[in-house]
Amino acid sequence: MSAPLYQLKAEFFKTLGHPVRIRVLELLSEREHAVSEMLPEVGIEPAYLSQQLAVLRRANLVVTRREGSAVHYALVSPQVAKLLAVARDILSGVLAGQAELLADLRAAEPADAPGKR
C-alpha cells in the first residue's frame, strides 16, 4: 500500500525545509549552475553543499549534467521556481500584516510608556 498523499507532501516540504536547499533552488530558478558557481553564493563548505545537493537529487528536484570536471545542476521542473515564488508572495503578505499590526501597536502606546521615543 502506498503512502497517503498528505504524507508524501509532508516529506516533500521536509526536503524544502532547509535554508541552504532553498537558496540552491532559488539560484537554480534563475538558470543552471555549476557547483563552483553556487559555492560563493551559498557561503558553505563544498562537502556540505554536496550533501544538500544530494538531498535535492534524491527528492528528484534537481538534475545533474557533467561537463568535463564540472557538475552542473538544474531544476527538474519550472514548477519548483513557481512554488518558491508563491512562497515569497505568501511571506510578503504575512510580513505586511505583521508590519501593520506593529504599527497599530505602536500607535496605541501611551505617550509616556517606557521605551517610547
Side-chain angles (χ1 to χ4, degrees):
M1 182 172 182
S2 64
L5 184 55
Y6 63 85
Q7 189 173 1
L8 295 173
K9 284 180 183 179
E11 289 298 319
F12 173 76
F13 282 108
K14 254 199 259 184
T15 299
L16 296 178
H18 193 285
V20 169
R21 292 193 288 262
I22 293 293
R23 182 65 184 126
V24 166
L25 293 173
E26 287 174 342
L27 289 170
L28 297 177
S29 293
E30 299 167 5
R31 63 175 175 80
E32 176 184 271
H33 280 74
V35 173
S36 60
E37 294 175 308
M38 286 188 272
L39 279 168
E41 295 290 332
V42 295
I44 59 173
E45 295 296 317
Y48 190 54
L49 177 58
S50 291
Q51 289 174 350
Q52 300 307 317
L53 288 166
V55 171
L56 294 172
R57 266 194 326 270
R58 282 192 302 273
N60 294 312
L61 292 172
V62 298
V63 291
T64 60
R65 174 180 69 80
R66 185 171 288 281
E67 188 176 292
S69 62
V71 179
H72 296 261
Y73 282 81
L75 294 179
V76 165
S77 165
Q79 298 289 55
V80 176
K82 288 182 183 178
L83 177 63
L84 293 172
V86 168
R88 186 173 30 254
D89 291 346
I90 291 168
L91 285 172
S92 293
V94 168
L95 293 174
Q98 289 176 350
E100 289 173 20
L101 178 59
L102 180 59
D104 290 347
L105 287 172
R106 286 188 173 153
E109 279 184 10
D112 61 348
K116 184 81 172 180
R117 295 177 200 186

